[in-house]
């Protein structure tokens, strides 16, 4: 899948070819060079899901490459 949005409390992920998880499923978001984040699916769409993380992320910018960060 592809990470579309990330905040300290959750993320929006587009699901690539594969099985779509159900609302309430436990999931692990594996990030390139940044380990992983565990959470629960809180909503599903046709091709994407929303995840609420089990633990807040202290500094989201530390998980993103410079070109992925906002103007700030």
């Amino acid at each position: 899948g592809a990470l579309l949005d990330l905040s300290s409390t959750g993320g929006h992920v587009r699901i690539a070819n594969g099985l779509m998880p159900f609302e309430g499923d436990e999931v692990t978001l594996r990030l390139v060079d940044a380990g992983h984040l565990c959470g629960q699916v809180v909503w599903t769409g046709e091709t994407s899901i929303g995840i609420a993380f089990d633990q807040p992320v202290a500094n989201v910018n530390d998980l993103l490459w410079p070109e992925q960060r906002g103007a700030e």
Side-chain angles (χ1 to χ4, degrees):
L3 182 62
L4 301 177
D5 191 21
L6 180 68
S7 74
S8 63
T9 58
H12 178 189
V13 178
R14 181 177 49 230
I15 303 297
N17 299 326
L19 297 175
M20 180 70 78
F22 294 102
E23 192 172 317
D25 283 352
E26 296 292 324
V27 294
T28 300
L29 181 62
R30 297 188 193 284
L31 304 172
V32 176
D33 300 333
H36 64 279
L37 300 167
C38 297
Q40 185 176 43
V41 177
V42 292
W43 61 265
T44 62
E46 260 186 62
T47 60
S48 61
I49 62 172
I51 301 170
F53 298 141
D54 292 340
Q55 300 291 322
V57 177
N59 191 350
V60 173
N61 283 335
D62 289 346
L63 301 178
L64 302 174
W65 294 336
E67 60 271 12
Q68 294 172 311
R69 297 177 188 161
E72 300 170 8

